[in-house]
Amino acid sequence: MPAKLQATTMKISSPMLSPFIRSLKALIFFSPALSSVIISGKTPNFVLVYMDDLGWAETSVPMIKGRADTGSDFNQTPNVERLAREGMVLSACYSPSALCAPSRNSLLHGMTPSRLRYTVLSAVEAQKEYLGQITIPQALKKANSDYVTAHFGKWHNESIKPTEAGYDVTDGPNGNGPGDFDDDRKTHIPDDDPKRIFSLTEKSVDFMREQVKADKPFYLQLSHYAMHIWHDSLRETREKYKLLPKGKKHQKKDDLAEEDIPLATYNHGWIINYAAMLDDTDRAFGRLLDAIEELGIKEHTYVVFTSDNGGGFRGNHPLKSGKGSLYEGGIRMPTFVRGPGIKKGSYCKVPVVQWDFLQTFYDLGGGREPLPADLDGGSLRDVFEKGNKGRVKRNTKELIFHFPWHTGVAESVIRSGKYKLRKDLDSLKMELFDLGKDLGENTDLASEMPELVRKLDRKRSAYLDSVNAETVTLTRRNYVELLKGGWIENGKNRLAKLKAELSADPDNKQKAFQVGVSQNHVDFQDRQLERSTRLIKMHEQRGTADKN
């Protein structure tokens, strides 16, 4: 037993030890995280850095120890490396969804997107009835009323506003727009603050400083607009990456002079800009870590770095697919955590998911009263303290991801142990993968293990039925109603306006780019109206319109 812990334990020992003190002694002995916080006499703080569209293998930290291909050979993230050295790499941490809005809502509430009826970008069902039971800020205040909570950056959750969710400090319920434009939604944000990376960080540092001065424990969620399109970065950082050795994702167009890069390529197709944006974000993250040390709160502050869904610039190798897919590349997140009781430089392969975070923070923050029974997650305390020997006791044992995506591939997944079953909700085809041996999901075992397929599919379907999850036919019907109710007309009106503006200023490259984007959007909506209508009819005729 460490001397410091031993001294504390001896101090509270007594022949007349009360039941409360006896229980506290046991908790201290068996819980390194709790003992560390109790010894310091401080309630823990929580800092969650939530990236946008960052792929699993895109930092310079290998996500699996000893496998260089699970990290980037080009992007440099020294401060994420620093967090990994000082904490734990969670190799199998999942986002709740393959898209941002459902993930953010699920993380906030500790419930699956299915239970919240917010499984795709459209919040039609979630806005009919708020199904949340408790939020992270509310849970922490339940654990300790002294907690002060803040959210800065991208919110993108149409079911609830930050203030309604219990945040004391916020910069508003922002979507993607503020990551690129000023408050007037027209003026591009300053070149020295791409994607508001640095100003968001300074807001966060100021918030922490104020709480430390007031001697208040806090929860801070910094939700970056990076790495979402449109990509942007500091010029000086781009110059750095132009000189670095080329990585495996390099393409010939990356060698073009910056002045020759088309605007569309700069915005979402130039690896130099993408790597520089991640580098800028990492530098800002280093500023956040430095501030935590300077404020003297490192020893009782948990720092979590993760992302909302898979991105993967030019692929997510060795994982399959990316954003908008329930293959591993769309939902397995680059996740790192540092804090009391967490072993430095450790790796953990226990499957965890972001809807575990609420119960984790509540537990570590001192919460002891039961939380609502409808929460799906469980505390990760045991995983933080024991690594691969840790276990998560969830209200919903299996990890079930449901993505009835109306404009893409509609799919549903259940992970149980090492096995993952994926079902295409239109074709009804099912695939089975052994993730312990086949991380890239290259070998479909469904035909070899039909009984396991049926068993997992029954569990998946039973859970979705129990929470009244949206069907893909419902999400498509809602989408068609929106398209016909004004979306298509508004899109065509916007295109006509942009074309008129370009006609008056034909040399305006930014305006030409906007016309191209708008035309693509109009064409996309026309195609999707036809497709959605056709697939709704197919499900109705087949008798699967109301089934998951």
Side-chain angles (χ1 to χ4, degrees):
M1 182 183 294
K4 199 169 188 179
L5 177 58
Q6 186 176 25
T8 303
T9 305
M10 290 176 65
K11 183 177 179 180
I12 65 174
S13 298
S14 157
M16 302 296 292
L17 201 64
S18 71
F20 172 77
I21 296 297
R22 192 178 297 115
S23 298
L24 184 61
K25 177 183 175 183
L27 281 170
I28 291 174
F29 182 82
F30 289 110
S31 174
L34 184 60
S35 67
S36 175
V37 172
I38 289 177
I39 289 170
S40 70
K42 292 288 186 179
T43 302
N45 305 306
F46 301 93
V47 176
L48 173 62
V49 176
Y50 209 38
M51 297 293 291
D52 194 349
D53 292 357
L54 181 64
W56 184 68
E58 290 193 316
T59 76
S60 51
V61 179
M63 292 305 299
I64 296 178
K65 191 173 184 178
R67 282 193 57 174
D69 66 327
T70 64
S72 176
D73 63 353
F74 186 62
N75 304 334
Q76 296 184 358
T77 55
N79 289 294
V80 175
E81 292 180 26
R82 170 183 170 186
L83 186 68
R85 284 195 308 272
E86 297 177 351
M88 176 183 289
V89 178
L90 295 171
S91 299
C93 179
Y94 290 93
S95 62
S97 174
L99 291 178
C100 57
S103 286
R104 293 165 192 273
N105 192 46
S106 173
L107 179 149
L108 176 67
H109 291 99
M111 302 161 74
T112 66
S114 303
R115 192 184 292 274
L116 291 162
R117 289 175 68 80
Y118 196 168
T119 54
V120 293
L121 288 181
S122 170
V124 172
E125 296 302 311
Q127 289 177 329
K128 289 178 181 177
E129 181 185 3
Y130 174 67
L131 296 172
Q133 300 291 312
I134 193 170
T135 66
I136 289 175
Q138 291 165 356
L140 283 171
K141 291 173 185 291
K142 177 181 174 73
N144 185 334
S145 60
D146 286 340
Y147 269 105
V148 182
T149 59
H151 183 279
F152 299 119
K154 180 174 173 178
W155 181 252
H156 205 175
N157 181 351
E158 294 182 48
S159 76
I160 190 171
K161 292 180 172 59
T163 51
E164 296 169 346
Y167 280 106
D168 300 301
V169 183
T170 178
D171 56 1
N174 302 315
N176 288 314
D180 302 301
F181 298 99
D182 211 335
D183 293 341
D184 62 4
R185 300 184 181 182
K186 295 180 181 179
T187 307
H188 199 279
I189 57 177
D191 290 343
D192 62 357
D193 190 24
K195 308 297 286 188
R196 298 185 188 262
I197 291 168
F198 302 109
S199 57
L200 287 175
T201 300
E202 289 309 311
K203 284 182 183 179
S204 300
V205 171
D206 289 345
F207 169 78
M208 293 193 299
R209 184 180 295 114
E210 290 169 5
Q211 306 324 310
V212 171
K213 184 177 180 180
D215 196 25
K216 294 284 189 179
F218 63 83
Y219 171 80
L220 164 67
Q221 184 169 328
L222 167 53
S223 298
H224 277 292
Y225 298 102
M227 306 292 290
H228 199 284
I229 59 171
W230 310 115
H231 301 159
D232 203 8
S233 59
L234 294 176
R235 174 175 281 277
E236 64 194 62
T237 315
R238 296 196 296 276
E239 294 302 321
K240 165 187 170 180
Y241 280 89
K242 292 174 186 177
L243 301 175
L244 293 181
K246 299 175 177 62
K248 292 179 181 178
K249 292 185 177 182
H250 177 83
Q251 295 180 359
K252 187 176 181 180
K253 66 181 179 181
D254 297 325
D255 294 328
L256 290 172
E258 184 156 337
E259 57 269 22
D260 296 329
I261 295 288
L263 184 59
T265 301
Y266 179 90
N267 281 338
H268 55 79
W270 189 29
I271 200 168
I272 300 298
N273 195 22
Y274 188 83
M277 179 169 60
L278 180 56
D279 191 300
D280 289 339
T281 309
D282 180 82
R283 189 183 321 160
F285 182 51
R287 163 73 173 129
L288 198 69
L289 295 179
D290 288 345
I292 289 171
E293 292 193 21
E294 292 163 4
L295 291 169
I297 56 174
K298 179 179 178 181
E299 298 308 314
H300 59 279
T301 299
Y302 291 90
V303 180
V304 181
F305 181 100
T306 189
S307 183
D308 64 344
N309 54 250
F313 187 86
R314 295 179 186 166
N316 257 323
H317 182 80
L319 305 183
K320 179 182 286 190
S321 198
K323 181 177 182 176
S325 169
L326 292 185
Y327 286 114
E328 291 294 286
I331 53 175
R332 188 180 283 234
M333 296 299 98
T335 307
F336 315 87
V337 58
R338 181 187 79 183
I342 296 176
K343 184 179 178 181
K344 294 182 179 180
S346 59
Y347 277 75
C348 180
K349 61 182 180 181
V350 175
V352 301
V353 64
Q354 289 171 8
W355 62 69
D356 291 327
F357 287 8
L358 184 151
Q359 285 178 291
T360 302
F361 299 153
Y362 178 71
D363 181 14
L364 295 173
R368 294 295 173 261
E369 295 297 317
L371 289 171
D374 281 347
L375 301 191
D376 290 284
S379 175
L380 301 180
R381 177 197 288 273
D382 202 45
V383 170
F384 287 177
E385 295 175 355
K386 301 176 184 176
N388 288 328
K389 295 181 180 179
R391 294 294 178 265
V392 186
K393 295 181 180 179
R394 295 185 181 89
N395 291 344
T396 302
K397 183 178 179 181
E398 287 81 16
L399 300 183
I400 298 173
F401 305 90
H402 186 55
F403 190 49
W405 188 218
H406 46 279
T407 63
V409 177
E411 54 191 326
S412 195
V413 156
I414 177 171
R415 174 165 181 173
S416 181
K418 64 180 182 178
Y419 290 107
K420 175 180 175 181
L421 178 77
R422 175 187 174 274
K423 184 173 186 176
D424 185 306
L425 297 173
D426 287 324
S427 71
L428 305 185
K429 178 185 176 181
M430 291 187 278
E431 298 172 298
L432 180 69
F433 303 105
D434 179 349
L435 295 180
K437 299 178 180 178
D438 181 22
L439 186 62
E441 297 170 292
N442 298 309
T443 305
D444 180 8
L445 303 174
S447 61
E448 299 175 25
M449 308 176 75
E451 184 53 41
L452 180 59
V453 168
R454 286 190 290 270
K455 178 182 177 181
L456 291 178
D457 189 46
R458 284 194 297 268
K459 286 186 176 182
R460 180 199 63 83
S461 180
Y463 172 76
L464 296 178
D465 287 346
S466 73
V467 300
N468 192 28
E470 296 157 289
T471 66
V472 66
T473 301
L474 175 60
T475 63
R476 285 191 179 121
R477 286 171 178 160
N478 287 337
Y479 182 53
V480 167
E481 186 175 336
L482 291 169
L483 289 173
K484 291 181 176 180
W487 281 14
I488 288 178
E489 182 181 359
N490 292 341
K492 290 180 177 179
N493 289 341
R494 173 173 168 74
L495 176 60
K497 180 182 177 183
L498 288 171
K499 283 182 174 180
E501 292 173 353
L502 179 61
S503 179
D505 185 11
D507 295 327
N508 189 322
K509 292 183 179 180
Q510 178 69 35
K511 192 63 65 176
F513 171 73
Q514 291 175 340
V515 167
V517 170
S518 185
Q519 182 67 65
N520 289 338
H521 184 64
V522 166
D523 295 342
F524 174 80
Q525 287 188 329
D526 286 341
R527 291 194 304 271
Q528 286 300 321
L529 178 59
E530 183 280 326
R531 177 179 182 268
S532 293
T533 302
R534 172 169 45 83
L535 290 173
I536 288 170
K537 184 176 180 180
M538 179 200 75
H539 277 279
E540 290 173 342
Q541 292 175 340
R542 192 173 63 187
T544 54
D546 300 318
K547 296 180 181 179
N548 275 314

